[in-house]
Amino acid sequence: MKHDLIAVLDFGAQYAMLIARRVRECNVYCEIFPHNVTVEELKKRKVKGLILSGGPASVYEKNAPKLDLKIWKSGIPILGICYGTQLMAKDLGGTVKPGKKREYGRTPLIVDDETSIFAGLPKQITCWMSHGDSVAKLPKDFKLLAHTRNTPIAAIGDPAKKLYGVQFHPEVVHTEKGTEIIKNFVYVVCGCRPTWTTKSFAEASIKEIKATVGKEKILCALSGGVDSSTVAALVHKAVGKQLTCMFIDQGFMRKNEAKKIVEVFTRSFKINLVHIDAAQRFYDKLSGVTDPEEKRHRIGNDFIRVFEEEAKKLGKMPFLAQGTLYPDVIESAVPGLTSTTAVRIKTHHNVGGLPKDIKFTLVEPLKKLFKDEVRALGRELGVPEEIISRQPFPGPGLAIRIIGEVTPERVKILQAVDDIVVSEVKKAGLYKELWQSFAVLLPIRTVGVMGDKRTYLNTVAIRAVTSTDAMTADWAKLPYDLLEKFSSRIINEVPEVNRVVYDISSKPPATIEWE
């Protein structure tokens, strides 16, 4: 079945991915496109609706991102959000001016027109604002749909042309009825059908993998996490015995992790699994390296080299499957894979960290999915719950949770600390509630007193966050008694540590991982 497509045009918004997620939650397929995509390309893809994202620029700036002007007359329904609304107003004859007062955060919104995108909503809702500029004059044939105390024109629309704009952000959870607004646009205005489901995605992916791989053999990079495990299950459904999974222990796994992964996959899957111990090779590769990006590049590069070398021993193996996700692609800002306005946050080892002369043809069936979508897909494919419910673990492993040089000794310290953190979070019944909870070994020592003696030992930070997609995250307000258990057990059981701190930074401005 051919699914309806909604396109999000990215003008540099931190919430562009979130808009796509919200549309997909309506069971309608959605993709991110660069803001300068042509109307011809959109029509070629048979896009049924456009959502213009927000962005940091002002529409009246000289180099502000623009839209192909032919799109306004294309007949494709359009919903502008924040910057997208201002661009709509400016291009179609309205006026945009800097606001007298910047509006940021939760704001009461008064609905003036309870039809179209506001159909079925209360007269007043709380919305999330984040803007300095505002629409000052409506374009011809547009009417006012909603306002706030500080923004007289907070939502606009030309129902005849199916053009709508909202100054607030319906995609964030802080906006009441935001999902209903998106549903009204997607279902009613665009006429999309809710056919994009986990089951339909699995069926389409299996067909695509079969067509791509043919009768050749394929190797899967298996880490034991949700993403690679789901990929393994998906590819196995598609090509069966043509698949070989390879688990490379790079030495940066959690305590006893390698043994557990081999046990789980031997028990749960009838998949050919090859276990490679390459720890010393990776330690040598990272000797003296302290820069986070350099770590990621070296690990990503050597991962592929090990796969290439080991694959030769297995015969002809032209394809490599891996669990690249949409957030990995976006944060790595790889040219050709992301919008022209994307900024690199960090290089994910399986995206930007890959060598240019890679000998495999990559198969990445999850690269347009978010983590929660992958979990749902994994359940659909029968992946064990003990894997599905696992918190995300970075491909470079503990190497990017050790700030500074990575050595076997420092890894051993962090493994011991991490094991305590994970076990105590599980005992507290919070493991599934938290997106991630882990420890970070810092490159500093501090003075302490233990047994009436002065100590000068390592400091570790505990990081715990809540999130739904890893694009944004809040630091978790863990109970004090749990924090106390962390500190007490770590300092008493890990002799190399004498101080524990808790990270209370959200994303943005911080990232979830420290490197």
Side-chain angles (χ1 to χ4, degrees):
M1 172 185 255
K2 186 72 175 176
H3 302 291
D4 293 329
L5 170 63
I6 294 291
V8 174
L9 303 197
D10 183 9
F11 288 89
Q14 62 173 330
Y15 296 137
M17 295 300 103
L18 198 50
I19 299 170
R21 279 196 69 249
R22 293 293 179 251
V23 174
R24 292 185 189 184
E25 287 169 2
C26 301
N27 297 123
V28 175
Y29 187 58
C30 184
E31 281 189 25
I32 309 294
F33 288 73
H35 66 83
N36 57 358
V37 65
T38 64
V39 69
E40 289 78 17
E41 176 64 20
L42 295 174
K43 288 188 173 181
K44 181 181 176 183
R45 291 290 307 274
K46 297 182 179 178
V47 170
K48 293 208 68 172
L50 299 177
I51 300 180
L52 314 184
S53 82
S58 295
V59 292
Y60 47 77
E61 289 178 355
K62 183 179 179 180
N63 296 318
K66 295 177 175 59
L67 190 73
D68 179 352
L69 293 176
K70 289 182 287 185
I71 288 176
W72 298 121
K73 297 180 180 180
S74 67
I76 302 173
I78 300 173
L79 173 64
I81 295 176
C82 199
Y83 180 90
T85 296
Q86 296 161 14
L87 188 65
M88 179 183 290
K90 176 179 175 292
D91 284 354
L92 297 179
T95 304
V96 177
K97 292 184 177 179
K100 295 180 180 178
K101 182 179 180 183
R102 179 173 173 80
E103 196 170 25
Y104 185 85
R106 289 183 174 87
T107 306
L109 178 83
I110 308 301
V111 177
D112 298 298
D113 188 319
E114 298 173 51
T115 61
S116 60
I117 60 172
F118 292 109
L121 271 63
K123 182 71 176 176
Q124 180 173 316
I125 61 173
T126 298
C127 70
W128 183 264
M129 288 285 193
S130 178
H131 69 105
D133 298 344
S134 298
V135 177
K137 178 186 174 185
L138 290 171
K140 183 182 177 182
D141 298 327
F142 275 73
K143 60 180 180 178
L144 176 68
L145 302 182
H147 69 277
T148 71
R149 182 177 179 181
N150 294 318
T151 306
I153 302 177
I156 63 177
D158 181 345
K161 294 187 177 69
K162 296 186 176 182
L163 302 177
Y164 296 91
V166 294
Q167 185 58 67
F168 57 92
H169 291 272
E171 71 274 22
V172 302
V173 294
H174 311 300
T175 294
E176 289 180 322
K177 306 296 182 180
T179 298
E180 283 77 2
I181 293 170
I182 292 173
K183 282 182 177 179
N184 280 338
F185 176 71
V186 170
Y187 294 155
V188 181
V189 178
C190 300
C192 292
R193 300 159 297 165
T195 60
W196 196 75
T197 63
T198 301
K199 184 177 181 180
S200 68
F201 177 84
E203 291 171 350
S205 295
I206 289 170
K207 287 181 182 178
E208 187 175 340
I209 293 167
K210 283 181 177 179
T212 300
V213 176
K215 295 183 179 181
E216 300 283 359
K217 290 184 178 180
I218 180 170
L219 190 62
C220 179
L222 183 67
S223 69
V226 182
D227 308 332
S228 64
S229 300
T230 300
V231 167
L234 189 62
V235 174
H236 189 250
K237 281 254 185 187
V239 298
K241 293 181 180 179
Q242 293 168 242
L243 170 68
T244 296
C245 287
M246 187 176 288
F247 166 55
I248 294 178
D249 181 2
Q250 84 290 58
F252 313 136
M253 306 298 290
R254 285 172 164 157
K255 188 176 180 181
N256 299 321
E257 181 86 342
K259 182 180 178 182
K260 291 176 185 175
I261 289 171
V262 173
E263 286 178 354
V264 168
F265 275 84
T266 301
R267 183 181 75 244
S268 303
F269 295 94
K270 297 190 185 309
I271 295 176
N272 184 27
L273 176 62
V274 179
H275 176 204
I276 307 297
D277 184 353
Q280 191 57 53
R281 173 174 179 154
F282 281 88
Y283 280 123
D284 292 344
K285 203 72 176 179
L286 292 188
S287 178
V289 178
T290 59
D291 180 73
E293 280 291 279
E294 183 65 20
K295 284 184 188 178
R296 287 176 175 271
H297 276 287
R298 291 197 180 198
I299 292 171
N301 194 295
D302 249 41
F303 250 108
I304 294 298
R305 294 302 174 230
V306 173
F307 275 119
E308 289 173 343
E309 292 166 15
E310 296 297 331
K312 288 179 182 178
K313 302 175 185 178
L314 301 173
K316 187 181 178 185
M317 196 79 67
F319 294 97
L320 172 64
Q322 58 177 17
T324 305
L325 302 192
Y326 218 167
D328 298 344
V329 172
I330 297 305
E331 288 193 335
S332 297
V334 179
L337 292 180
T338 52
S339 82
T340 54
T341 50
V343 176
R344 178 173 297 157
I345 306 301
K346 57 188 177 186
T347 300
H348 288 262
H349 80 284
N350 56 340
V351 187
L354 297 177
K356 293 180 180 179
D357 59 343
I358 183 171
K359 301 294 193 298
F360 294 102
T361 297
L362 293 179
V363 175
E364 300 173 299
L366 311 183
K367 68 180 179 181
K368 290 295 179 72
L369 295 188
F370 296 97
K371 180 70 77 171
D372 56 328
E373 294 172 326
V374 174
R375 292 190 200 279
L377 177 62
R379 291 189 177 98
E380 179 73 29
L381 296 168
V383 177
E385 189 61 33
E386 61 187 297
I387 293 175
I388 291 297
S389 61
R390 290 191 70 185
Q391 293 179 357
F393 188 68
L398 299 180
I400 58 167
R401 292 178 179 173
I402 294 174
I403 312 302
E405 186 178 10
V406 179
T407 65
E409 294 74 24
R410 300 192 78 201
V411 170
K412 188 176 180 181
I413 293 170
L414 187 55
Q415 284 177 329
V417 173
D418 180 83
D419 190 58
I420 291 171
V421 172
V422 173
S423 64
E424 288 299 333
V425 167
K426 288 181 176 179
K427 283 180 187 177
L430 296 173
Y431 187 78
K432 289 186 179 181
E433 291 183 26
L434 297 173
W435 179 262
Q436 278 176 268
S437 49
F438 57 90
V440 180
L441 181 60
L442 305 184
I444 56 174
R445 295 190 174 203
T446 64
V447 174
V449 179
M450 300 172 77
D452 294 327
K453 292 182 180 180
R454 178 187 186 274
T455 62
Y456 191 57
L457 301 172
N458 294 286
T459 300
V460 294
I462 307 298
R463 178 77 157 144
V465 298
T466 57
S467 181
T468 55
D469 53 21
M471 298 306 294
T472 60
D474 290 326
W475 64 276
K477 284 68 175 176
L478 297 181
Y480 286 162
D481 61 344
L482 178 56
L483 296 177
E484 186 177 13
K485 284 180 182 177
F486 287 155
S487 179
S488 177
R489 281 197 61 190
I490 290 168
I491 291 173
N492 279 284
E493 297 176 32
V494 185
E496 298 88 350
V497 176
N498 71 350
R499 191 177 297 270
V500 178
V501 298
Y502 188 54
D503 182 351
I504 58 170
S505 310
S506 293
K507 176 185 179 179
T511 54
I512 295 177
E513 298 289 347
W514 278 41
E515 289 193 340

